[in-house]
Amino acid sequence: MAAADAEFMREALALAAATGDSGEVPVGAVVVKDGEVIGRGANRPIGSKDPTAHAEIVALREAAAALGNYRLTGCELFVTLEPCAMCVGAMLHARLARVVFGAADPKTGACGGAVGLAFEARLNHQTAFEGGVLAGESASLLKRFFAERR
């Protein structure tokens, strides 16, 4: 794991932790271009009453606004939880260079957890996906959140 990967994942973890305090599932994401964070997001579908307001989508929207373009070529996205199919689709359409995630999600993850959409060769764009960066910290945050609600 590159030091920069851990640094950006820690920023995503901080966003996730802050979100968990509001009752949203604690997932955080950052979009990076040339070593600079240009988009930040945390889960907010409950508060915004928007089923698409996953951390990744929020971060992609902010990054696209910062660049003035929906294509985020040359950008990387760091997210604390393996992305779902909706988010992987958005990442592929955004033309991200790379996606790095923390904890695996065997129930809804689309990077091999539940399905392998991220690696579907028939799609018109390919993005590199890498999991497991600070996975223990990411998983621990989620486990604490759900344990407190049960």
Side-chain angles (χ1 to χ4, degrees):
M1 168 178 49
D5 287 359
E7 175 188 334
F8 294 126
M9 189 61 76
R10 279 188 180 74
E11 185 162 348
L13 278 164
L15 291 165
T19 298
D21 295 341
S22 70
E24 301 277 3
V25 175
V27 178
V30 295
V31 176
V32 176
K33 178 143 177 97
D34 300 326
E36 179 185 339
V37 175
I38 61 167
R40 290 174 178 79
N43 260 5
R44 57 182 193 207
I46 297 167
S48 66
K49 297 171 184 58
D50 177 358
T52 69
H54 289 194
E56 301 96 307
I57 302 297
V58 174
L60 288 171
R61 287 176 179 155
E62 189 173 292
L67 295 180
N69 194 337
Y70 76 101
R71 293 267 168 99
L72 302 176
T73 54
C75 293
E76 299 175 302
L77 186 143
F78 295 81
V79 60
T80 59
L81 181 65
E82 179 181 352
C84 70
M86 174 186 70
C87 291
V88 167
M91 292 167 188
L92 293 171
H93 284 289
R95 306 294 198 261
L96 291 174
R98 180 172 171 241
V99 173
V100 178
F101 64 90
D105 185 351
K107 293 184 179 183
T108 63
C111 303
V115 296
L117 179 61
F119 311 111
E120 178 55 59
R122 294 176 292 179
L123 298 174
N124 68 330
H125 179 72
Q126 301 299 307
T127 295
F129 287 84
E130 176 185 342
V133 175
L134 301 184
E137 293 174 42
S138 297
S140 179
L141 184 63
L142 288 160
K143 285 177 186 172
R144 277 194 311 272
F145 174 82
F146 286 113
E148 291 171 3
R149 275 145 188 81
R150 292 190 176 127

